[in-house]
Amino acid sequence: MLQKEPTLAELFPQIEIKLAEPLSRYTYTKTGGKADILAFPKSIAEVQSLVTYAHTAHLPLTVIGNASNLIVKDGGIRGLVLILTSMAVIKVTGTTLYAQAGAKLIDTTIAAADASLTGIEFAAGIPGSVGGAMFMNAGAYGGEMSDAVATVTVLLPDGTVSELSRTALHFAYRHSIIQENHSIVLAATFALAKGDQATIKAQMADFNARRSAKQPLEYPSCGSVFKRPTGYFTGKLIHEAGLQGHIIGGVQVSTKHAGFMVNLGNGTATDYINLIRHVQTVVFDQFGVALEPEVRIIGEDLIG
């Protein structure tokens, strides 16, 4: 009698695992198809175990953080998907702040402010995770992760854990080496400075008020859709192209800020992608400017 292969849940009883799980439940756009296998590791060791399993079982592997600047296609994602939001430890030691990859950037800035540490106020309203912020060198209001990060701990493709210095991360505008070397962010440390807590919190409150006034936070969205082209403001280009308020399916170029696209209630990932392509085409035709997506688009198209 053939012995039955153990299931993933049996192999990893300590890890929350879901099968055929709609990723629309986790993305900020409220769109996206199903993940074949969705796992929520709570530690670096659990990430290592799952990555080893995926490699041994020849499963495609995808890692997601807070899914705030992400579009998952309507066909979903094959193989194993890790969501790291259960890895959210934040610790402050002196002027150094340590945060695991799944920690929310907003929570990280609050922890810094509570410890009277200055240096990451600019990130107070960015809805992503620390891991995602390292991946894309997230920034706002003149600041970027590269201004404050000291080190990033990653899991390399060969399964080893390595600590990368700020220089080794090759940070650039919305870019880091992590986009190229196929490593997984596990944690980061920030080198901050002592400051006046009232001043720090006032600065964060000001950034949040400006964000709330200008951005369509009342709707599901994927955040800032396009990178800023040199010499231009993206929202201004889209507005001048006559595209503000333009709708495809259930997704609209925000009437509040043309650099954002919002789900009006029944939008799909395909609607987002079609609207992105339409905006790129019209802006290029009118102004000769090629808009490059800042939002990450992953997964497979819906067939049929």
Side-chain angles (χ1 to χ4, degrees), residues 246-253 267-268 270-272 274-276 278:
H246 189 81
I247 297 173
I248 290 181
V251 178
Q252 179 188 54
V253 176
T268 66
T270 302
D271 294 339
Y272 268 101
N274 288 340
L275 188 55
I276 287 169
H278 179 70

Side-chain angles (χ1 to χ4, degrees), residues 43-50:
S43 68
I44 288 173
E46 289 183 1
V47 173
Q48 286 180 294
S49 297
L50 287 165

Side-chain angles (χ1 to χ4, degrees), residues 70-149:
L70 180 74
I71 293 171
V72 176
K73 291 182 179 182
D74 294 317
I77 303 178
R78 305 289 70 80
L80 176 61
V81 178
L82 308 186
I83 289 187
L84 302 186
T85 48
S86 295
M87 291 175 54
V89 172
I90 301 171
K91 295 178 185 175
V92 175
T93 307
T95 56
T96 299
L97 186 150
Y98 165 92
Q100 288 185 327
K104 293 179 181 177
L105 210 49
I106 291 171
D107 292 344
T108 305
T109 64
I110 291 170
D114 287 345
S116 301
L117 295 179
T118 182
I120 54 171
E121 292 90 331
F122 67 87
I126 297 176
S129 65
V130 167
M134 298 305 111
F135 181 87
M136 67 176 294
N137 189 20
Y141 300 111
E144 293 180 324
M145 289 295 105
S146 56
D147 300 329
V149 170

Side-chain angles (χ1 to χ4, degrees), residues 16-41 63-72 76-77 81-86 104 127-129 220-222 263 298:
E16 182 184 5
I17 293 173
K18 298 183 178 183
L19 303 180
E21 177 73 358
L23 288 164
S24 57
R25 294 175 179 170
Y26 306 92
T27 60
Y28 269 54
T29 61
K30 304 300 180 189
T31 66
K34 294 178 181 179
D36 288 349
I37 308 165
L38 187 60
F40 299 83
V63 180
I64 293 175
N66 214 32
S68 58
N69 199 208
L70 180 74
I71 293 171
V72 176
I77 303 178
V81 178
L82 308 186
I83 289 187
L84 302 186
T85 48
S86 295
K104 293 179 181 177
S129 65
S221 84
C222 57
N263 184 347
I298 62 175

Side-chain angles (χ1 to χ4, degrees), residues 34-291:
K34 294 178 181 179
D36 288 349
I37 308 165
L38 187 60
F40 299 83
K42 300 179 295 298
S43 68
I44 288 173
E46 289 183 1
V47 173
Q48 286 180 294
S49 297
L50 287 165
V51 169
T52 299
Y53 170 82
H55 179 73
T56 304
H58 305 290
L59 283 175
L61 178 70
T62 304
V63 180
I64 293 175
N66 214 32
S68 58
N69 199 208
L70 180 74
I71 293 171
V72 176
K73 291 182 179 182
D74 294 317
I77 303 178
R78 305 289 70 80
L80 176 61
V81 178
L82 308 186
I83 289 187
L84 302 186
T85 48
S86 295
M87 291 175 54
V89 172
I90 301 171
K91 295 178 185 175
V92 175
T93 307
T95 56
T96 299
L97 186 150
Y98 165 92
Q100 288 185 327
K104 293 179 181 177
L105 210 49
I106 291 171
D107 292 344
T108 305
T109 64
I110 291 170
D114 287 345
S116 301
L117 295 179
T118 182
I120 54 171
E121 292 90 331
F122 67 87
I126 297 176
S129 65
V130 167
M134 298 305 111
F135 181 87
M136 67 176 294
N137 189 20
Y141 300 111
E144 293 180 324
M145 289 295 105
S146 56
D147 300 329
V149 170
T151 63
V152 174
T153 304
V154 299
L155 182 65
L156 296 172
D158 66 4
T160 59
V161 175
S162 179
E163 188 172 86
L164 302 180
S165 67
R166 183 186 322 193
T167 304
L169 288 158
H170 295 177
F171 281 126
Y173 174 63
R174 300 298 175 265
H175 177 270
S176 74
I177 194 66
I178 299 157
Q179 295 177 15
E180 299 163 12
N181 68 7
H182 306 293
S183 60
I184 297 170
V185 177
L186 299 171
T189 61
F190 298 83
L192 306 176
K194 277 291 181 183
D196 176 71
Q197 188 176 87
T199 303
I200 293 166
K201 290 191 173 182
Q203 180 73 83
M204 289 166 60
D206 176 59
F207 286 148
N208 283 330
R210 284 199 258 170
R211 185 181 293 272
S212 181
K214 293 180 181 178
Q215 296 181 11
L217 304 182
E218 63 273 25
Y219 287 102
S221 84
C222 57
S224 182
V225 178
F226 299 104
K227 294 180 182 178
R228 185 183 64 247
T230 305
Y232 297 91
F233 291 102
T234 307
K236 189 169 184 286
L237 279 174
I238 295 169
H239 173 75
E240 290 179 351
L243 291 167
Q244 191 156 12
H246 189 81
I247 297 173
I248 290 181
V251 178
Q252 179 188 54
V253 176
S254 171
T255 56
K256 194 171 183 180
H257 189 313
F260 288 72
M261 294 178 183
V262 297
N263 184 347
L264 297 177
N266 61 340
T268 66
T270 302
D271 294 339
Y272 268 101
I273 293 165
N274 288 340
L275 188 55
I276 287 169
R277 289 172 179 162
H278 179 70
V279 168
Q280 287 175 310
T281 299
V282 173
V283 167
F284 187 79
D285 288 347
Q286 289 195 27
F287 305 109
V289 178
L291 293 179

